[in-house]
Structures are given as C-alpha cells and as structure tokens.
Amino acid sequence: MSQAKISCKNDRYPLVLLVLLVLALIWSWIRPADYFTWILEVLPAVLGAGLLVAIYRRFRFTNLVYTLIWLHALILIIGGHYTYAEMPLFNWIRDTFELERNYYDRLGHFAQGFVPALIVREVLLRKTTLGSGGWLTFLTVSVCLAISAAYELIEFAVAKATGTAAEAFLGTQGDVWDTQWDMLLALLGALTAVIWLSGVHNKLLKQLKH
C-alpha cells in the first residue's frame, strides 16, 4: 500500500496536531508541580512524536490513529504538569462523587491499551498478510498487554532507582491493587478500541488504496 496513494488534502492535518502538541508541551513546562515528574511523564510523548516525524515519509498512519496518539500525548502532558494524583478536573470528580482517590491515572492506563490497539492494528493490516478477524484481534490485544506490562516494569525500575522522587510518577496514591488495575484497564482499552473502532478504521484504510 503506497504512501503516494494517500490523499494530499489531509497532508496538513498531522502538522496541525504536531504544532498543537508543541504548544501543549510549552504550557506544561511552565511551572509544573515537579520538573523531574514532568520529564518522566512527558518523555514517552516526546519520543513517540519524534518517531512519528522520523518515519512519516516511509509510513504515514491514518488521521484517526494520529488523532488518538495526540490525545494520548495530551493525557501524558497534562499528567506531567499537575501529576496524576492532582489533576484538577479529576480532583473535582473525586470530591463531588466522594471517591477514594483521584482516578486520572486510570484514564491514562485505559488509553495505554486503547491507542496502541489502533496503532498495532494498522501496522499489522498494512505490513502483513493478516486480515480482519480473530487472529488480528488476538495479536493486537497481546501486543498492547505486552506494552503495558513493559511500562509497568519501567515504572518499577524508576521507582527503585530514584526512591521517593518517583512517587508522583507512579501515582499509586496508596492503592495496593494499582498494577492489577493498570493491566486490566489496558486490556479493556485495547478490546474497546478493537470492537468500537474497527469498522471506521477499516473504511479509512480502504481509502488509502484510492
């Protein structure tokens, strides 16, 4: 599936998302709750954006995938600015509904399954002989869980290396079931993306052929 077949009308869309992402990064960098936590939270978004820019001419994703990646990056950037435990909107939700904790980190881990699912699905459909079906779903969800598990190990390694300095990065807020919830939400995110967006995603991929 040639990149030259992608409509030129949408060429500016990824650039617009990139500019908006840079603006969000600048805002997030201004007086964050903690600069070390900011770096830990924002680094994956920066590295991901850099990778997408580097491969853009060789492999351009659908605008749906770029939009989801952008939204996931915003979740990380906002979490880096406030820390996950102190994100204002989710503090309001906690206080209004008398919840035990701020659950912004749960949104982040749901996105950690939801967004990679569409990325993996697109790569598999465009770069392998797989078609829509059970094997595609199984491999997509499996890769998403592997990514989530790897990130949990990275968080654990950072916590061991930096001690209490990484507490805001982990964002557990004393939740002993945090890791189990993280993996479950990543699984639910991946399954939701595959079930909910597969039809739309397939239509967008077919447009690349014309």
Side-chain angles (χ1 to χ4, degrees):
M1 198 175 294
S2 172
Q3 291 295 104
K5 295 178 181 178
I6 299 177
S7 172
C8 294
K9 292 188 296 183
N10 296 320
D11 282 349
R12 293 183 180 179
Y13 184 72
L15 178 60
V16 171
L17 292 182
L18 181 61
V19 171
L20 292 174
L21 186 66
V22 171
L23 293 176
L25 279 169
I26 293 172
W27 163 80
S28 184
W29 173 251
I30 299 173
R31 297 181 181 177
D34 177 75
Y35 279 106
F36 179 67
T37 302
W38 185 89
I39 292 171
L40 293 176
E41 298 292 0
V42 169
L43 185 60
V46 174
L47 293 177
L51 177 62
L52 291 175
V53 170
I55 68 172
Y56 182 79
R57 292 186 180 277
R58 298 192 300 275
F59 189 94
R60 176 178 165 178
F61 287 97
T62 57
N63 285 341
L64 171 64
V65 169
Y66 281 130
T67 301
L68 293 175
I69 293 172
W70 180 75
L71 290 172
H72 194 185
L74 286 184
I75 291 173
L76 295 173
I77 290 169
I78 293 170
H81 182 80
Y82 294 110
T83 76
Y84 278 71
E86 296 299 334
M87 196 279 189
L89 175 59
F90 278 72
N91 274 344
W92 176 84
I93 293 173
R94 178 199 62 198
D95 297 339
T96 300
F97 296 98
E98 299 181 354
L99 303 177
E100 294 182 357
R101 65 195 287 277
N102 181 311
Y103 285 107
Y104 186 66
D105 62 314
R106 298 289 194 247
L107 173 64
H109 284 95
F110 182 84
Q112 194 170 288
F114 190 95
V115 178
L118 269 292
I119 298 173
V120 172
R121 189 176 191 275
E122 184 155 327
V123 171
L124 289 175
L125 284 172
R126 292 174 61 181
K127 291 297 184 179
T128 73
T129 58
L130 279 172
S132 295
W135 276 109
L136 177 64
T137 299
F138 173 75
L139 290 174
T140 297
V141 173
S142 295
V143 172
C144 291
L145 288 178
I147 293 171
S148 186
Y151 199 76
E152 292 296 321
L153 291 175
I154 292 172
E155 287 185 335
F156 176 77
V158 171
K160 295 295 283 186
T162 61
T164 57
E167 183 177 349
F169 173 55
L170 293 172
T172 59
Q173 303 173 65
D175 189 346
V176 296
W177 298 103
D178 187 70
T179 300
Q180 291 85 345
W181 271 109
D182 293 349
M183 294 300 298
L184 176 60
L185 285 166
L187 172 61
L188 291 175
L191 289 173
T192 301
V194 170
I195 294 170
W196 184 36
L197 293 179
S198 288
V200 174
H201 194 210
N202 288 339
K203 290 179 181 178
L204 292 173
L205 290 173
K206 286 180 181 179
Q207 291 176 8
L208 298 183
K209 299 178 181 179
H210 303 292

